[in-house]
């Protein structure tokens, strides 16, 4: 019997994804000049031939002054159009073409880190303030080590003025136009993991009293304006998705989150990816400070939240990302109605052709999987809180970039595997 994972999925914009398996976004740490590089395109050529239904890129930053990591590709200046910025479009087209070389639609994840931009990530300077909806600093915990790391890694954010808000909205729209002109099939707005869009949506980080804060609807205005303005300047068949948090919303704010999801659904989002966590609580790596017993017992990290969204919005195309390692787990999520698309991250960094294994009917369910152990960590991390250690080792754009003494960053495990793929080398899973 054919796997439901092999079913095509048609998005509202008309884009057809050939199957339900999506290579999830992972930062690659290969854009040393903050432009797409040959190494980056070489890595994506590996995934383009992997049998994926869609490929999501790692973070593409909308402002080179405010970066998630020092080695993300980014928009450097205001984007005019394909004619006035022909060289820039050609550079990004090479990236888009590599992703889609074998026909798989590629979706560019665009992002602004807001207050989570590291001191050395971006061209604003080590002591310049980050931007945020409100001047709420990152809080890793009350211990001396956590507070020291927080001060070392980040500055206190500046509350964005109305002019700042308008400028950043324009940067998102410009980046989306550039991605469309370069030939990508769509964009995904990164509204999860504690980045800027998530900061606007969340009442803990958005204390504003103007039109961008104060109620769930007003807190959603920032992302809704990005979505509305982007729709006006990209082709109608260009996909616009969004990644949203689930893990950092309490029962007290659950209905507020559902209100915001309803607004996004009404605005015509093409798909919604459910993920979760932030640097303060890295649930996207399976290291939430207080994971529920039910969630821990399942393969997908955010299954319950996704199923609730599906109940309320049956027509919304949902992607669920986080923790999938097997055909059985992915099929169960689809058959339970939790999602339409299954996002796969870390296994994709180890085996770029993982979908071929999952979709091969001759392979038994027991063998259609890729179990992964926790990534190894340096010896000195024994002195750090456990959830920070794990998140840093697993993540390819994380706090652990800051924890190496010396002139270079510690290469996180899965970033190193992606870089092996770019060189045509075999990637390795962490030893079991």
């Amino acid at each position: 019997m054919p796997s439901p994972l092999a079913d095509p999925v048609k998005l509202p914009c008309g884009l057809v994804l050939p199957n339900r398996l999506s290579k999830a976004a992972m930062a690659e740490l290969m854009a040393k000049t903050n432009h797409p590089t040959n190494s980056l395109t070489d890595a994506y050529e590996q995934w383009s031939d992997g049998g994926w239904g869609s490929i999501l890129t790692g973070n593409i930053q909308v402002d080179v002054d405010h970066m998630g990591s020092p080695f993300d590709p980014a928009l450097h200046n205001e984007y005019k159009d394909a004619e006035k910025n022909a060289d820039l479009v050609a550079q990004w087209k090479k990236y888009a073409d590599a992703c889609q070389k074998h026909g798989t639609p590629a979706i560019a994840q665009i992002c602004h880190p807001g207050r989570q931009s590291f001191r050395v990530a971006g061209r604003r300077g080590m002591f310049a303030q980050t931007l945020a909806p409100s001047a709420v600093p990152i809080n890793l915990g009350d211990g001396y080590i956590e507070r020291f790391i927080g001060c070392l890694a980040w500055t206190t954010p500046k509350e964005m003025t109305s002019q700042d808000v308008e400028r950043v909205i324009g940067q998102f729209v410009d980046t989306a136009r550039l991605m469309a002109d370069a030939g990508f099939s769509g964009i995904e707005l990164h509204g999860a993991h504690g980045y800027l869009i998530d900061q606007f949506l969340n009442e803990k980080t958005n204390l504003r009293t103007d039109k961008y804060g104060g109620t769930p609807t007003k807190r959603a205005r920032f992302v809704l304006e990005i979505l509305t303005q982007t729709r006006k300047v990209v082709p109608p068949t260009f996909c616009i998705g969004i990644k949203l948090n689930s893990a950092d919303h309490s029962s007290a704010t659950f209905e507020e989150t559902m209100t915001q999801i309803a607004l996004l659904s009404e605005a015509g989002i093409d798909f919604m990816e459910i993920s979760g966590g932030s640097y303060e609580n890295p649930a996207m790596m399976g290291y939430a400070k207080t994971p529920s017993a039910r969630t821990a017992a399942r393969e997908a990290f955010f299954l319950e939240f996704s199923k609730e969204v599906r109940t309320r919005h049956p027509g919304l195309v949902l992607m669920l990302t986080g923790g999938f390692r097997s055909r059985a787990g992915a099929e169960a999520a689809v058959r339970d109605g939790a999602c339409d698309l299954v996002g796969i991250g870390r296994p994709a960094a180890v085996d770029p052709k993982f979908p071929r294994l999952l979709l091969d009917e001759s392979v038994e369910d027991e063998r259609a999987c890729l179990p992964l152990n926790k990534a190894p960590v340096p010896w000195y991390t024994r002195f750090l809180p456990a959830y920070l250690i794990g998140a840093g080792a697993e993540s390819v754009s994380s706090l652990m970039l800051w924890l190496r003494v010396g002139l270079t960053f510690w290469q996180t495990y899965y970033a190193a595997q992606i870089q092996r793929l770019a060189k045509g080398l075999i990637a390795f899973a962490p030893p079991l």
Side-chain angles (χ1 to χ4, degrees), residues 344-390:
I344 297 174
R346 282 168 273 178
V350 174
D351 181 3
K353 294 180 173 57
F354 189 47
R356 299 193 185 280
L357 175 67
L358 299 187
L359 299 175
D360 188 344
E361 296 179 35
S362 68
V363 177
E364 298 176 354
D365 282 353
E366 293 76 13
R367 293 174 48 232
C369 61
L370 181 54
L372 296 175
N373 198 10
K374 300 300 182 186
V377 296
W379 64 269
Y380 51 79
T381 57
R382 72 184 67 174
F383 302 109
L384 300 174
Y387 75 92
L388 291 182
I389 297 169

Side-chain angles (χ1 to χ4, degrees), residues 10 36 78 108 193 233 250 258 313 375 404:
K10 186 175 182 179
E78 182 182 0
H193 302 175
V233 296
S250 66
M258 289 297 151
H313 303 282
R404 178 170 178 168

Side-chain angles (χ1 to χ4, degrees), residues 281-416:
N281 186 21
M284 64 281 196
M285 297 301 163
Y287 285 93
K289 293 178 182 178
T290 55
S292 71
R294 290 180 63 200
T295 298
R298 302 195 184 187
E299 186 168 279
F301 295 155
F302 313 112
L303 192 65
E304 290 91 343
F305 186 92
S306 186
K307 290 177 74 172
E308 180 62 24
V309 176
R310 163 66 74 235
T311 299
R312 300 189 186 208
H313 303 282
L316 183 59
V317 177
L318 292 178
M319 177 189 299
L320 184 58
T321 300
F324 289 108
R325 302 287 180 269
S326 70
R327 176 197 294 158
E331 287 184 347
V334 172
R335 288 184 171 130
D336 283 353
C339 62
D340 304 285
L341 304 171
V342 176
I344 297 174
R346 282 168 273 178
V350 174
D351 181 3
K353 294 180 173 57
F354 189 47
R356 299 193 185 280
L357 175 67
L358 299 187
L359 299 175
D360 188 344
E361 296 179 35
S362 68
V363 177
E364 298 176 354
D365 282 353
E366 293 76 13
R367 293 174 48 232
C369 61
L370 181 54
L372 296 175
N373 198 10
K374 300 300 182 186
V377 296
W379 64 269
Y380 51 79
T381 57
R382 72 184 67 174
F383 302 109
L384 300 174
Y387 75 92
L388 291 182
I389 297 169
E394 300 286 336
S395 175
V396 292
S397 175
S398 69
L399 177 63
M400 290 298 294
L401 289 172
W402 265 93
L403 301 182
R404 178 170 178 168
V405 178
L407 298 177
T408 59
F409 292 102
W410 174 52
Q411 264 191 336
T412 52
Y413 188 86
Y414 287 99

